[in-house]
Amino acid sequence: MHDSGAKNPAEKIIVHVDKDLEDLIPGFLSNRRNDVASLTAALGKGDYDTIRVLGHTMKGDGGGYGFDAISDIGGALEQAAKSRNGEEIWKWAGELSSYLERVEVVYD
Amino acid sequence: MSILIIDDSEDSRVLLKSILEASGYREVLTAESANHAFMQLGLNDPKKGGGGVDLILLDVLMPEMDGVKTCREIKAAEHLQDIPIIMVTTAKEMEWLQLAFVAGAVDYITKPVNKVELLARVRSVLKLKHEMDSRKAREQDLAKKTQELQQALRELKVLRGFIPICASCKKVRNDKGYWQQVEAYIRDHSEAQFTHGFCPDCLNKLYPGFDQDQG
């Protein structure tokens, strides 16, 4: 399972995922889209604890589903929340949103 | 064999359950929190027998009650203490792991979960659990048989060794130090029974002129 990185923002990101997980992927990605909304709302309220937990959870779950990039973004969000860095949080929330728009899953 | 996954992340529970079930584990239960897990395990209800759970996969960082405290609570319950616990943790939570091992966890896997690692660890721990359960059952059986044997020995009536007997009246001194009739002693120490009669000498002494043949 791996991500093929893309420097062009418009370019698709192909992720190869174990076929056994095919039924689970739509639900996982849907939850991540919900996370983008939750992150934005939490940032607006200055709720860094919620952001930290969201980031931590993403960090732990992403790679297991085949999305290493989501684990990386989650880790970065967690760190940004710990240091209460709103700019970093905003940046990584944007990264997550962009990634979710561009990701295309191939089941092997 | 039944496995319980305790994790506040729904995605994590779904993933672990999917991997385990695809690998042939039919009974995979999930709990979203320590308290939910305690209900399923019957923490305060020993009659529930641990809900039939053979292995617990336990997330380290959870709200309300963390994995280390959860592990400690489970291990403190006598009817649950033999259930092995594998901690599920991210790489940066190693200091938590030390506490978890002190609390009674037997192994750990890291997040993001690697399917091969997960299945290998689960297989290994369940094999060990099965062996321990078999050994425990054998020990209980042996203890029961030993008890039965000891009881049988107590009831066994055997005459052996030196028996103190009075040279004059032929009374016998028993195990408690009391002198008793020889018949009583033999009855207490064997399965023998007595039929009473007279030997020729006593018959002649007690009933002189008694014709034995016409008896």
Side-chain angles (χ1 to χ4, degrees), chain B residues 45-60:
Chain B
D45 183 11
K47 285 179 197 165
K48 207 168 173 183
V53 171
D54 296 292
L55 169 64
I56 295 172
L57 296 172
L58 176 56
D59 186 31
V60 169

Side-chain angles (χ1 to χ4, degrees), chain A residues 18 20-21 24 27-28 31-32 53 56-57 59-65 68 71 78-79, chain B residues 7-15 18-19 22 59 61 90 92-93 111-115:
Chain A
D18 196 324
D20 287 344
L21 300 180
L24 309 184
F28 176 76
N31 285 342
R32 301 295 72 76
V53 170
H56 178 81
T57 304
K59 181 177 79 176
D61 293 343
Y65 279 85
D68 293 339
S71 278
E78 185 186 18
Q79 286 309 311
Chain B
D7 198 317
D8 61 306
S9 161
E10 184 193 354
D11 289 312
S12 203
R13 293 194 305 272
V14 163
L15 178 65
S18 173
I19 293 171
D59 186 31
L61 279 187
T90 60
K92 289 192 177 172
E93 291 159 4
K111 278 183 174 180
V113 167
N114 176 286
K115 178 179 161 180

Side-chain angles (χ1 to χ4, degrees), chain B residues 189-212:
Chain B
H189 291 79
S190 75
E191 298 295 330
Q193 293 177 340
F194 288 94
T195 61
H196 286 84
F198 292 103
C199 67
D201 291 342
C202 286
L203 185 64
N204 202 38
K205 200 190 316 182
L206 291 167
Y207 300 101
F210 181 78
D211 188 343
Q212 284 186 60

